[in-house]
Amino acid sequence: MRRRLEDEVREALMRYAFVPVAIVALLCVAWGMFNWQWSVVRRNGEMRDLTAQIFSETVADYIDRVNDITRLSIMDARGSDEERRAFFTDFYAIVNRRADHPYFYLLDADGQTIFTNYMAAPPYFRTPWGILRRMRTADAPVVEFVRAGEKEWHLVIGRAFWENGHVTGYAALILPRAEFMSPELPPDTHWAIVDAYGYAPFSTLPQLRSENFDKISAELRAADGIVDVKDSLFYATHRDILGGAFRVYAFTPIAHILRQYAVGALILLGVLMVMTPAILMRVRRETKGQTEAVEKIMKAFHEVRRGRLNHRLDIRTGNEFEEIANSYNRTVDSIKELLRLNEEQTRAKVVSELRQLESQFNPHFLFNTLENIKYMIRLDPHAAVDMVMDLSSLLRYSIARVTNVPLTEDLEHLAGYMRIQRRRFGAQLSYEEEIAPETLPCRVPKLIMQPVVENAIKYGADDNGVIRIRVHTEKAGDLLVITVEDKGPGIAPEKLARLQEMLKSGENTSMHTGVHNVHRRIQLLYGDQYGLGITCGAEGGTCVEMRCPARSQ
């Protein structure tokens, strides 16, 4: 016991001592994560998205212009003066739609230059199997990186002119790499634009490409996170654009940031290594010494935890521990008195609730019975007297100061109730009993069956208005099972689910007070393992099963 208390005090002090250190460490880690997210991840994403936006917008604009150019007739470029003037007026209006003044080529059907504002026809226009062939076979403008020299690449957006089902020429807009280097792109992050074949001619990171083919290395194609590019560390992300035809990469150098993080981690580790021995020595000094009074108090608390309230503390130290002992003794005495009073109140509450539930009769039944008696007095006085006697016996039975009765007695009063109902319904009401003889001495809550049978009468009529009710009892081991069945239309699945949930929770929020009262009375008397259940057959009919302990005493 002494050792355990000492360990607990030591642990508490260590927690309070190390909490500030842990908070500082967590703050440092949180700052590092925030700094990484802000200066690396966010900036990298901004660079990638800005590059993708500029490239996508540029390509989309060039595609629009090429489409508009190829709607003209290139034959007019070599026609009469008037045709040439009209062609080039429209042509320049399209090309100079924006202030970027792109480079362009107009080629005839053989690939020979008709007109250009750039250099002589590059080699890729002189190859019959190259980009011109793809322009002839494509339904939309062709967008490709093509090599223009040993170290020079162009982005070409071009399309063929078609007239009467034949290619009459080609229009192409050219974007050299140098023209795409926009001042809008920040210099602290590198970028690269890669086509579907892995070529990366448009890039601010030369070591990204292989020396011979200007292709991005295979291990960098799916770069997403920290990557090593020729012994340099970068944080890389990518994004596909233009339907996957191109991929934009952003590369942020992180070597200097990682060095800062490493220095910060070493400083934090050094501080922890210095503070930890000092904290441990201080905690050891603060946790020395325990008293006999503490042991007695702990023992007394253990006794209370086991439910033993007769253990008393006898401490005479003249200090705070003696006051604790006296307060403990007074508290235990108060708890014992409260438990006694609570037990008495609980017993009285259960008896009161049982009597309230037993005395709840359906007012509609009483009203209908009295109405029948009123008419029977005129038509059949003897029958009216019998109904009054049955009703009087049933009411007297309901207010009798007895909680449970033999099953045979409850069946007798149920028979009186059924005689009253038969006089009301006549041949429309059919009732039968199948009672196991061994169940007759078993004691049950009084009026356990009457509310359930009343529900069956109210809701159990078939399509012809006939009510057929069957009461069955059996003894299953130590269990008495009473079943009330009808042949009516049954209960809708949603309503049945609500009734079953009501019985399971014990809270009645519906109008079915009779069924709930029976279920509640059974559980108050015998426990939650007993009670009432409701089921419905697939072809209709409702079955209410009541389960009670099979006791004859």
Side-chain angles (χ1 to χ4, degrees), residues 263-550:
V263 171
L266 289 174
I267 293 174
L268 181 62
L269 183 61
V271 172
L272 290 177
M273 292 178 65
V274 172
M275 293 183 63
T276 300
I279 292 173
L280 292 176
M281 292 176 60
R282 179 67 179 175
V283 169
R284 188 176 294 110
R285 286 197 299 268
E286 294 293 335
T287 55
K288 289 182 178 179
Q290 297 180 63
T291 66
E292 183 180 355
V294 173
E295 291 182 353
K296 290 182 178 180
I297 292 172
M298 295 298 296
K299 181 179 179 181
F301 288 158
H302 284 300
E303 294 296 318
V304 171
R305 188 183 302 167
R306 296 187 181 98
R308 301 170 186 170
L309 299 180
N310 293 324
H311 182 84
R312 299 188 67 82
L313 274 176
D314 184 16
I315 298 176
R316 303 182 185 278
T317 58
N319 57 17
E320 289 85 354
F321 290 117
E322 183 174 345
E323 181 62 29
I324 291 174
N326 294 334
S327 298
Y328 166 84
N329 292 330
R330 289 193 297 269
T331 301
V332 169
D333 292 339
S334 299
I335 291 174
K336 291 164 66 176
E337 179 64 17
L338 288 173
L339 288 174
R340 185 186 64 79
L341 293 174
N342 185 62
E343 184 178 357
E344 293 179 357
Q345 292 174 357
T346 301
R347 188 181 300 112
K349 181 180 178 181
V350 170
V351 171
S352 174
E353 185 175 354
L354 277 172
R355 291 187 175 164
Q356 180 184 6
L357 293 173
E358 290 168 355
S359 64
Q360 289 182 359
F361 247 100
N362 191 333
H364 294 290
F365 163 69
L366 294 176
F367 175 78
N368 292 332
T369 302
L370 292 174
E371 283 289 309
N372 285 343
I373 290 173
K374 181 176 71 173
Y375 290 110
M376 291 298 291
I377 289 174
R378 298 177 182 176
L379 301 176
D380 190 349
H382 293 291
V385 171
D386 291 339
M387 289 182 70
V388 170
M389 295 298 293
D390 286 335
L391 179 61
S392 174
S393 174
L394 193 60
L395 292 176
R396 190 180 303 111
Y397 178 58
S398 70
I399 63 175
R401 299 182 66 83
V402 60
T403 301
N404 54 60
V405 297
L407 178 62
T408 182
E409 182 177 342
D410 206 55
L411 285 169
E412 291 175 2
H413 287 89
L414 179 62
Y417 171 78
M418 292 306 300
R419 285 194 295 271
I420 294 173
Q421 294 289 27
R422 278 200 182 99
R423 291 189 180 97
R424 178 184 173 193
F425 290 96
Q428 288 182 307
L429 177 59
S430 170
Y431 173 76
E432 64 179 35
E433 294 179 350
E434 186 179 331
I435 309 299
E438 64 271 16
T439 63
L440 291 175
C442 296
R443 301 189 72 85
V444 296
K446 68 178 181 179
L447 289 174
I448 187 176
M449 293 175 284
Q450 183 272 331
V452 180
V453 171
E454 184 174 354
N455 264 10
I457 292 173
K458 184 175 181 180
Y459 300 107
D462 61 17
D463 294 339
N464 298 320
V466 177
I467 305 169
R468 289 189 291 273
I469 299 174
R470 175 177 172 269
V471 174
H472 170 79
T473 67
E474 64 177 346
K475 191 175 179 182
D478 295 332
L479 194 66
L480 171 64
V481 182
I482 304 172
T483 305
V484 178
E485 297 178 287
D486 65 59
K487 302 298 182 181
I491 305 174
E494 297 82 2
K495 186 175 182 181
L496 178 62
R498 289 197 298 271
L499 287 172
Q500 291 170 340
E501 179 62 27
M502 174 192 74
L503 296 176
K504 181 179 179 181
S505 66
E507 297 182 1
N508 185 15
T509 58
S510 70
M511 300 176 61
H512 298 277
T513 56
V515 171
H516 177 265
N517 288 357
V518 171
H519 179 68
R520 180 66 177 154
R521 285 163 56 204
I522 293 174
Q523 291 195 332
L524 284 173
L525 284 172
Y526 307 122
D528 292 344
Q529 67 270 36
Y530 303 99
L532 182 147
I534 304 176
T535 58
C536 289
E539 298 179 358
T542 303
C543 176
V544 179
E545 183 180 89
M546 294 160 277
R547 292 174 173 262
C548 304

Side-chain angles (χ1 to χ4, degrees), residues 43 47 50 182-191:
R43 292 289 296 164
M47 180 66 179
L50 181 58
S182 171
E184 301 177 33
L185 300 176
D188 59 344
T189 298
H190 297 284
W191 57 267

